[in-house]
Amino acid sequence: PEARLDLSDLVRQRAGRVRAEADAQGVALDLDVAPGARMAAEAAPLAEVVDNLVGNAVKYTPPGGTVSVRPTHAGGTARLEVQDTGPGFDAATCERLFDRFFRADTPEVQAEPGSGLGLAIVKAIVEGYGGEVGCASPGPGHGATFWVVLPCLGGEGR
């Protein structure tokens, strides 16, 4: 009963909704969408995943910065990468960012309202579909990349 969801279309739609906010903040939103990443998933939960990752990136990227959104697919998996030029973090923080209620201790993060639940919800949704989440940053002050990897539909067309 699950829809054949096109992740590329979904990302294009959801990122489009954040563009006005990005423009207002002076943040460039760069979309590089490879078409055709289809999966057996419902649109609503994955829309929440995209909204969270792109919304966070825009929220924490200072004016003049860039948020790059790249959905790609290869070898039976779809990958969504959201890269920003925001505050970044150290490796210890990265390990905890997907924990419930955890919010990084930096002034940039604490200055923004948030519950610390967004990334925990992202993780729960993605793992529910058999996928995985992750993050990386060259270090504080150097931006960050968040990614989600999800299984695509195989050729048997479930």
Side-chain angles (χ1 to χ4, degrees):
E2 288 183 272
R4 282 182 168 225
L5 181 73
D6 187 320
L7 183 66
S8 307
D9 284 350
L10 181 73
V11 168
R12 206 178 284 113
Q13 287 165 13
R14 304 311 295 189
R17 295 169 65 121
V18 184
R19 194 174 290 282
E21 189 185 331
D23 289 346
Q25 274 179 234
V27 173
L29 188 57
D30 174 32
L31 235 61
D32 182 10
V33 179
R38 294 190 171 278
M39 53 191 43
E42 298 297 328
L46 288 188
E48 192 165 354
V49 167
V50 176
D51 290 353
N52 254 301
L53 294 181
V54 177
N56 275 356
V58 168
K59 181 161 79 168
Y60 295 119
T61 296
T66 302
V67 172
S68 301
V69 183
R70 287 189 299 275
T72 57
H73 56 98
T77 62
R79 180 181 174 96
L80 172 63
E81 246 182 44
V82 179
Q83 189 170 18
D84 66 53
T85 54
F89 40 79
D90 58 27
T93 300
C94 177
E95 283 178 23
R96 297 189 57 200
L97 281 174
F98 291 94
D99 294 352
R100 288 177 64 186
F101 306 119
F102 178 79
R103 297 187 75 215
D105 230 353
T106 60
E108 299 93 337
V109 171
Q110 292 300 325
E112 293 288 343
S115 61
L117 279 173
L119 290 173
I121 291 168
V122 164
K123 180 177 177 162
I125 292 168
V126 170
E127 289 183 347
Y129 281 112
E132 53 190 48
V133 295
C135 55
S137 171
H142 296 285
T145 303
F146 287 82
W147 69 85
V148 165
V149 178
L150 290 157
C152 276
L153 269 179
E156 71 283 350
R158 232 171 70 197

